Amino acid sequence: MSGNSDLTVPVSISAGIHIGAIIILALGISFDDKPKQMQTAASAPAVQAIVIDQQKVTDRVEQLKKQKQDALQQEKARQAELERKALEAKRERESEQEKIKALEIQRKLKEAETQRANDAAKAAQVKQQQEKERAQKAEEIRKQKEKEQKAAEEAAKQAAEKRKQEEATAKKAQEERQRAEEERKRKEEAERKQREDAERKRKAEAEAKARQEREMAEALAAEQDSLSKTRNKQVLSEVDKYKAMIIATIQRNLVVDESMRGKSCRVFIRLASDGFVTTAQTLEGDQVVCRAAKVSINKAGRLPVSPEPAVYQQLKEINLTVSPEFN
């Protein structure tokens, strides 16, 4: 771009001069009062100067073109040299990397060999240590067996002496046991006779006492039977009374209609001691009557019960037949 700038200025100047000269010549413009002949004489050198300047401009243009071409050639040569050096540097780097890879492989191989050698040395050392330990253990076992054998022999000797002593002691103890057994048998015989005498006496007294107790029990049973019959009559009378009261309570709460006439329902009732209804179940009968009976029992909530425990025991779980009553 600097070459173009150098050419533009001279060319512009030259063109301007040419155009100006042509205009002046064409119009015949005069800038002073000199005669026309002087103007013509003066214009000749100007034309000549313009031609000379044009030649210089052309030469300068050619010179600039040549300088630009030389610069382009030098730049191409420089770029080619740079590419060649870059290619050589790339090849050198690749060669260096290959060398590094080869050295790394050799290093790893040497490390692996060293590791295998170290492992082999360690294995040999471990094996040697294990063999040494086995030998020590075998020696310890041998010494232990010798010690145990000596101890066993000594124990056998002591056992034989002890057995002799025990046999003598056992013989003496056997004789003492025999004497003690004979003494025990004599004592047991005497005690047996005493027990037999006492047992005969105890049996006689027991028989007399049993006979007396039996007679008293028979008399008491007769009296209790008489009282029980009287009491049972009273309880049964109370049970019937409270059953009637329970049925009356159910009847009071029972909602009836003509469809229930002549029909009935069997119900099961379980009562707490205060008369609270804990269970109310229909067993069998007309469904309408059974449903009305259950509603009536639940509505009542509590049914009459006797404060007498014997009567309550008869009434705490009862089966009743509910039959609707019509006025």
Side-chain angles (χ1 to χ4, degrees):
M1 291 180 66
S2 75
N4 292 335
S5 176
D6 293 341
L7 290 172
T8 302
V9 175
V11 169
S12 299
I13 294 171
S14 177
I17 292 171
H18 280 77
I19 293 169
I22 293 167
I23 292 171
I24 290 169
L25 291 173
L27 298 175
I29 298 172
S30 175
F31 295 97
D32 52 24
D33 296 327
K34 291 181 180 181
K36 191 173 181 181
Q37 291 82 1
M38 291 180 67
Q39 291 178 3
T40 304
S43 64
V47 172
Q48 186 178 1
I50 291 171
V51 173
I52 292 170
D53 290 340
Q54 181 63 38
Q55 184 63 40
K56 287 181 179 181
V57 169
T58 302
D59 293 341
R60 180 60 178 168
V61 170
E62 292 296 326
Q63 183 182 0
L64 291 174
K65 286 182 178 180
K66 188 175 184 305
Q67 288 177 355
K68 185 176 181 181
Q69 290 176 353
D70 291 342
L72 289 173
Q73 291 294 331
Q74 290 176 0
E75 180 64 20
K76 288 181 179 179
R78 189 178 69 81
Q79 291 293 335
E81 182 65 18
L82 289 175
E83 290 178 359
R84 183 184 65 77
K85 289 181 178 181
L87 182 60
E88 289 180 356
K90 181 180 179 183
R91 290 174 180 172
E92 289 178 359
R93 285 197 304 273
E94 291 177 350
S95 177
E96 187 66 23
Q97 288 176 355
E98 291 296 328
K99 289 179 181 179
I100 291 171
K101 288 181 181 178
L103 290 173
E104 181 66 16
I105 291 171
Q106 291 178 359
R107 185 186 65 78
K108 289 183 178 180
L109 289 173
K110 286 183 179 179
E111 285 183 355
E113 291 176 358
T114 303
Q115 186 63 36
R116 284 196 295 271
N118 291 337
D119 293 343
K122 287 181 182 178
Q125 186 177 1
V126 170
K127 184 177 180 182
Q128 184 179 3
Q129 182 65 26
Q130 290 175 348
E131 290 177 353
K132 184 178 179 180
E133 290 176 355
R134 282 197 293 270
Q136 289 177 351
K137 190 173 181 180
E139 181 63 19
E140 291 174 358
I141 292 172
R142 184 186 65 77
K143 289 180 180 179
Q144 182 66 25
K145 285 184 177 179
E146 288 181 355
K147 185 177 179 181
E148 290 175 355
Q149 185 176 0
K150 289 181 180 179
E153 291 174 354
E154 182 65 23
K157 183 178 179 181
Q158 292 178 359
E161 293 177 356
K162 185 178 181 181
R163 188 168 56 254
K164 289 179 181 179
Q165 293 176 357
E166 289 175 350
E167 287 176 354
T169 303
K171 184 177 180 182
K172 184 178 179 180
Q174 180 67 22
E175 292 173 352
E176 290 178 354
R177 280 197 301 273
Q178 287 178 353
R179 287 195 295 270
E181 182 68 17
E182 291 173 358
E183 181 66 21
R184 184 185 65 78
K185 286 181 178 179
R186 285 195 296 271
K187 286 182 179 181
E188 286 182 352
E189 183 65 20
E191 290 174 355
R192 185 182 63 78
K193 289 181 179 180
Q194 289 178 359
R195 285 196 301 273
E196 288 178 353
D197 294 340
E199 182 66 18
R200 281 193 293 271
K201 184 178 179 181
R202 185 189 66 76
K203 283 183 178 180
E205 291 176 353
E207 288 176 357
K209 186 177 180 180
R211 188 168 48 255
Q212 183 179 4
E213 290 177 352
R214 187 169 56 253
E215 290 173 355
M216 291 177 65
E218 289 174 354
L220 181 60
E223 184 178 355
Q224 288 179 347
D225 184 58
S226 176
L227 292 173
S228 177
K229 287 179 180 178
T230 303
R231 178 63 179 164
N232 286 339
K233 288 180 181 178
Q234 293 175 351
V235 169
L236 291 174
S237 175
E238 286 291 308
V239 168
D240 292 339
K241 171 184 167 184
Y242 276 93
K243 274 187 178 181
M245 292 170 66
I246 289 170
I247 291 173
T249 302
I250 295 171
Q251 290 289 352
R252 280 198 304 273
N253 294 302
L254 188 67
V255 178
V256 299
D257 59 39
E258 280 299 320
S259 65
M260 298 163 62
R261 186 180 293 276
K263 298 176 181 177
S264 63
C265 178
R266 187 82 170 159
V267 296
F268 167 76
I269 303 173
R270 182 180 289 117
L271 300 174
S273 59
D274 61 351
F276 182 76
V277 177
T278 59
T279 304
Q281 295 178 350
T282 57
L283 301 177
E284 58 182 353
D286 181 73
Q287 291 184 358
V288 176
V289 176
C290 288
R291 187 161 49 250
K294 192 168 183 179
V295 170
S296 175
I297 294 168
N298 291 331
K299 183 178 179 181
R302 293 180 187 276
L303 297 175
V305 291
S306 172
E308 290 292 331
V311 177
Y312 169 69
Q313 288 297 322
Q314 296 291 326
L315 293 173
K316 67 178 182 179
E317 292 183 354
I318 56 173
N319 292 330
L320 298 173
T321 299
V322 177
S323 300
E325 295 178 353
F326 294 87
N327 294 329

